[in-house]
Amino acid sequence: MIGDAFAWSITERRAIAHSSLRRRYGRTLRNAVDFNADELAEFGSHLRSSILQAKAARERLIHRLEFPFDPSFDLTYLQASGIEDPYAFGLLISDLQLKDKGH
């Protein structure tokens, strides 16, 4: 997903990956239609199956874009691995710095 994009920090790499996912699967995010059980029952088996698969794909994509669920996940993980200040090493950057870089 990141390809040849250059970024040292985990924060930037995640922003690049999320941007790439949104660009690549934008249609999946935009074109989802939720049908209730009665509406789904009116469709044939193939169309119903396609609708349910598209809904599952959209939910998986949204779940991927929501990671990490805990805003302090990266900091906690890096500190647990022995890196006391990942900001000093440039492994993490603040949200303000991330916005300044255009992500």
Side-chain angles (χ1 to χ4, degrees):
M1 303 291 353
I2 295 176
D4 62 351
F6 178 77
W8 281 104
S9 75
I10 294 168
T11 313
E12 268 186 294
R13 293 177 65 81
R14 181 174 293 119
I16 292 167
H18 283 193
S19 175
S20 177
L21 284 170
R22 283 188 189 91
R23 193 172 43 255
R24 184 173 182 182
Y25 298 107
R27 185 178 296 160
T28 302
L29 289 170
R30 288 187 307 269
N31 296 341
V33 178
D34 286 330
F35 294 100
N36 63 36
D38 293 335
E39 292 171 328
L40 280 174
E42 295 176 11
F43 299 129
S45 63
H46 284 74
L47 181 56
R48 184 172 44 249
S49 174
S50 294
I51 291 169
L52 292 175
Q53 287 175 1
K55 182 178 178 180
R58 182 175 188 268
E59 289 171 0
R60 282 192 307 272
L61 179 57
I62 289 171
H63 186 73
R64 288 176 73 183
L65 292 172
E66 289 175 346
F67 181 83
F69 310 109
D70 176 11
S72 64
F73 173 81
D74 293 326
L75 178 62
T76 304
Y77 178 77
L78 289 169
Q79 287 176 337
S81 71
I83 302 171
E84 291 181 23
D85 188 4
Y87 289 99
F89 290 110
L91 295 173
L92 296 178
I93 60 174
S94 69
D95 290 339
L96 182 60
Q97 289 173 312
L98 188 63
K99 287 179 184 176
D100 286 343
K101 292 188 176 202
H103 296 293

